[in-house]
């Protein structure tokens, strides 16, 4: 997949503000999914599908960690 100069600058800007990777991927996915003016449908679907393959494992890890923290909190009430 080719990355345009504009996309490269956007990725760099997101890295510089140190946002969590999962947040960044979901935000980019949603922005691309809703961009019906600048990105043709076939390209948009390709990008969204690629991003979803990266998001899925991160999303699962996030929920596992969140559930583990909730279980620790429940077993160690203060």
């Amino acid at each position: 997949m080719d990355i345009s100069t504009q996309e490269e600058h956007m990725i760099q800007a997101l890295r510089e503000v140190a946002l969590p990777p999962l947040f960044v991927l979901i935000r980019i996915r949603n922005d691309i999914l809703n961009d019906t003016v600048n990105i043709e449908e076939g390209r948009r679907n390709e990008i969204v599908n690629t991003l979803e393959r990266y998001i899925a494992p991160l999303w699962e890890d996030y929920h596992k960690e969140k559930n583990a923290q909730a279980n620790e909190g429940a077993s160690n009430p203060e």
Side-chain angles (χ1 to χ4, degrees):
M1 181 169 73
D2 295 331
I3 296 176
S4 71
T5 304
Q6 182 181 7
E7 292 165 335
E8 189 174 335
H9 289 299
M10 181 179 68
I11 291 167
Q12 184 62 34
L14 290 168
R15 285 182 181 158
E16 288 173 2
V17 295
L19 294 171
L22 181 58
F23 172 84
V24 171
L25 288 173
I26 291 171
R27 177 65 190 264
I28 291 171
R29 177 209 172 268
N30 291 342
D31 287 349
I32 290 171
L33 185 63
N34 295 319
D35 189 347
T36 58
V37 175
N38 299 311
I39 306 172
E40 60 187 63
E41 186 175 355
R43 175 89 168 129
R44 189 171 57 244
N45 291 337
E46 176 188 350
I47 294 169
V48 167
N49 289 336
T50 300
L51 287 170
E52 286 177 348
R53 284 196 301 269
Y54 288 105
I55 291 169
L58 291 171
W59 192 245
E60 290 173 16
D61 290 347
Y62 168 79
H63 281 290
K64 286 178 186 175
E65 184 178 321
K66 189 174 180 179
N67 289 337
Q69 290 174 352
N71 290 338
E72 286 178 14
S75 63
N76 295 325
E78 294 182 21

